């Protein structure tokens, strides 16, 4: 009921990013780090603020990606804004946009540790897909070669289960004159939607992820029992909201929204144990 109320309540979209996880490559670190994409303007304290990929000779080579952590384990996402960077300091003021963009949402297979995320000293260690289970992949959207915040609206609101969003930048357009290599550069990113209350959170389990409800705010120093629950004030409720594997389709990431927002009431079936509901 708490989850249903959170999903169905009216909301005003806001930026759901809380911090950066990492980028597939960075040309000059830390001057051109992914963390610059959190700044809403191109200049911060007289310095340029943007992320730049490494250069490539082939414009159709492997895509670049930017990975972000959201405010909550569960966020209802409906729009993503990306502003390509325009290099006014280069001849012709080129714009280093991608040809297309695609979005993935999901959860880490193991808890994210602060030392693994991008920082002033560290480019991030968790960029590979092997670190995540992606529960949603968007269609590809064409990106304009324009220095504006371009809006990419998803076909429908998507429940991001796990609080991780990957932006895939596909294909390069602009070659840098000084070295003849193709780059992708981004000034600013916003992931817009509705972060659900932090009382609702998810935890990886065997072949899936479990939704948990804790009525009091979590603290990082709370000791957990062997089964992962807080020793006090725990409401014995855990729902399997994503189960991966062959033959299981796309899971609850789509079914939850389609049933709650567009269809008949959602029915939950009890599993054999007392705490899990499938």
């Amino acid at each position: 009921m708490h989850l249903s109320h959170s999903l169905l309540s009216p909301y005003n979209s806001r930026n759901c990013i809380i911090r950066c996880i990492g980028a597939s490559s960075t040309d000059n670190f830390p001057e051109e780090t992914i963390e610059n994409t959190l700044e809403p303007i191109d200049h911060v304290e007289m310095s340029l603020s943007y992320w730049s990929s490494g250069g490539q000779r082939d414009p159709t080579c492997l895509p670049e990606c930017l990975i972000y952590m959201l405010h909550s384990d569960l966020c209802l996402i409906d729009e993503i804004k990306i502003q390509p960077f325009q290099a006014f300091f280069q001849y012709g003021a080129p714009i280093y946009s991608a040809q297309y963009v695609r979005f993935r949402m999901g959860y880490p297979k193991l808890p994210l540790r602060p030392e693994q995320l991008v920082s002033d000293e560290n480019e991030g260690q968790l960029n590979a897909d092997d670190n995540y289970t992606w529960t949603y992949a968007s269609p590809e959207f064409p990106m304009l070669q324009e220095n504006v915040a371009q809006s990419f609206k998803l076909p429908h609101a998507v429940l991001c289960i796990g609080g991780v969003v990957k932006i895939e930048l596909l294909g390069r357009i602009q070659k840098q004159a000084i070295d003849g290599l193709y780059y992708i550069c981004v000034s600013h990113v916003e992931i817009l939607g509705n972060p659900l209350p932090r009382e609702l959170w998810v935890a990886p389990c065997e072949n899936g992820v479990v939704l948990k409800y804790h009525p009091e705010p979590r603290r990082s120093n709370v000791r957990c029992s062997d089964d992962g629950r807080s020793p006090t004030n725990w409401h014995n409720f855990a729902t399997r909201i994503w189960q991966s594997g062959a033959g299981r389709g796309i899971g609850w990431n789509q079914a939850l929204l389609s049933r709650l927002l567009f269809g008949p009431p959602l029915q939950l079936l009890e599993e054999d144990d007392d705490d899990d509901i499938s």
Side-chain angles (χ1 to χ4, degrees):
M1 291 177 64
H2 195 81
L3 174 63
S4 300
H5 176 76
S6 300
L7 287 172
L8 295 172
S9 298
Y11 67 93
N12 294 319
S13 288
R14 66 183 183 93
N15 192 1
C16 296
I17 299 175
I18 190 170
R19 68 170 300 173
C20 302
I21 294 177
S24 52
S25 70
T26 302
D27 189 33
N28 295 298
F29 185 86
E31 290 81 7
E32 297 173 330
T33 174
I34 180 180
E35 293 190 306
N36 291 338
T37 65
L38 302 185
E39 300 292 341
I41 54 178
D42 290 345
H43 294 75
V44 177
E45 296 180 352
M46 304 302 294
S47 298
L48 293 171
S49 177
Y50 64 95
W51 164 82
S52 174
S53 73
Q56 296 288 341
R57 297 196 179 279
D58 182 0
T60 62
C61 65
L62 294 175
E64 299 286 348
C65 72
L66 304 173
I67 307 178
Y68 298 91
M69 179 191 299
L70 305 184
H71 274 280
S72 175
D73 284 357
L74 296 169
C75 291
L76 195 60
I77 304 300
D78 49 39
E79 180 183 6
I80 296 176
K81 291 185 177 181
I82 304 174
Q83 182 171 346
F85 176 68
Q86 184 169 13
F88 293 102
F89 53 88
Q90 296 180 356
Y91 178 77
I95 300 173
Y96 290 91
S97 64
Q99 293 182 355
Y100 297 92
V101 64
R102 180 172 57 210
F103 311 110
R104 297 186 187 273
M105 304 182 192
Y107 60 91
K109 295 178 181 178
L110 296 173
L112 302 179
R113 301 196 304 271
E115 63 269 20
Q116 295 177 301
L117 309 183
V118 67
S119 65
D120 289 342
E121 299 80 22
N122 180 14
E123 291 191 61
Q125 306 169 23
L126 297 171
N127 302 322
D129 276 342
D130 292 345
N131 296 307
Y132 307 95
T133 297
W134 303 116
T135 60
Y136 172 81
S138 77
E140 292 184 10
F141 299 91
M143 179 176 279
L144 302 177
Q145 198 172 11
E146 297 180 0
N147 179 29
V148 295
Q150 300 180 33
S151 173
F152 303 97
K153 290 186 177 293
L154 301 178
H156 53 74
V158 174
L159 182 62
C160 178
I161 300 172
V164 175
V165 174
K166 176 183 180 181
I167 297 177
E168 294 181 314
L169 301 161
L170 313 172
R172 301 161 192 253
I173 297 176
Q174 186 61 51
K175 181 188 293 187
Q176 184 173 252
I178 193 172
D179 59 8
L181 301 179
Y182 290 90
Y183 293 83
I184 300 174
C185 302
V186 173
S187 292
H188 185 55
V189 170
E190 291 185 2
I191 299 173
L192 301 174
N194 179 32
L196 272 59
R198 292 178 63 88
E199 292 89 345
L200 294 164
W201 56 290
V202 299
C205 64
E206 184 178 0
N207 297 324
V209 66
V210 165
L211 169 68
K212 295 191 175 184
Y213 171 67
H214 195 286
E216 294 186 359
R218 287 175 287 157
R219 298 184 180 92
S220 58
N221 60 349
V222 171
R223 293 179 60 86
C224 292
S225 59
D226 292 339
D227 62 0
R229 300 174 195 163
S230 177
T232 59
N233 296 320
W234 174 260
H235 280 204
N236 290 326
F237 177 82
T239 298
R240 191 181 302 276
I241 57 173
W242 174 267
Q243 190 161 349
S244 60
R248 294 192 179 99
I250 56 177
W252 272 42
N253 196 28
Q254 298 297 323
L256 186 64
L257 283 177
S258 62
R259 291 191 184 186
L260 284 178
L261 303 181
F262 308 114
L266 185 67
Q267 295 182 352
L268 302 179
L269 303 178
E270 294 186 0
E271 288 184 347
D272 294 337
D273 55 63
D274 294 334
D275 296 331
D276 289 344
I277 300 176
S278 175

